[in-house]
Amino acid sequence: MDGHPINYDALPMYSRGVLAFVSGDPRSPKHKPMLFQVTLRRSGKAVQQWSGKKEEGIYSIQLDEIWPLVQLGDELVVEPVYTAGETHKPGKRVFKLGIINLFTWNKC
């Protein structure tokens, strides 16, 4: 997200930025942008999909486009689009959408 890898165990709801799928280290100038599709899933069923034109994909998406449809506990599925001649791409990622507790308490 915004050129930095993110932990896909949980994605904070309402975080801002651009989500992109790349091959290689996103901080390296040698990384390669990849086409992908994004699906919002609720209780195992697709609610919305962002995929660009039919069977193509997108290179990035503003998270602000996704959040209006999200409910706590939804999953965001990010999956690469394979094209002819490609031998390897990273697999799909499933982000559990939750709220991060911004208050941390220190025990004194």
Side-chain angles (χ1 to χ4, degrees):
M1 182 166 60
D2 290 337
H4 300 283
I6 55 176
N7 178 356
Y8 61 92
D9 292 335
L11 179 65
M13 289 173 61
Y14 310 115
S15 52
R16 298 181 153 258
V18 176
L19 183 64
F21 208 70
V22 299
S23 176
D25 183 350
R27 293 171 283 206
S28 164
K30 295 181 181 180
H31 75 271
K32 180 182 174 191
M34 297 171 33
L35 283 170
F36 65 98
Q37 296 179 339
V38 179
T39 304
L40 179 64
R41 201 164 58 187
R42 183 174 301 136
S43 301
K45 296 181 182 175
V47 174
Q48 175 73 35
Q49 186 172 23
W50 295 268
S51 60
K53 295 181 181 178
K54 186 178 180 180
E55 294 186 22
E56 286 184 10
I58 54 178
Y59 282 105
S60 66
I61 186 167
Q62 289 282 341
L63 291 173
D64 289 344
E65 293 180 41
I66 297 169
W67 299 139
L69 301 170
V70 168
Q71 294 179 8
L72 185 60
D74 285 354
E75 295 176 324
L76 196 63
V77 180
V78 180
E79 201 165 3
V81 173
Y82 294 92
T83 56
E86 291 180 323
T87 56
H88 178 268
K89 280 193 177 184
K92 77 177 177 182
R93 303 288 191 256
V94 178
F95 297 92
K96 293 177 173 66
L97 301 175
I99 298 173
I100 287 186
N101 184 359
L102 299 176
F103 298 100
T104 56
W105 303 96
N106 291 330
K107 294 182 180 180
C108 297

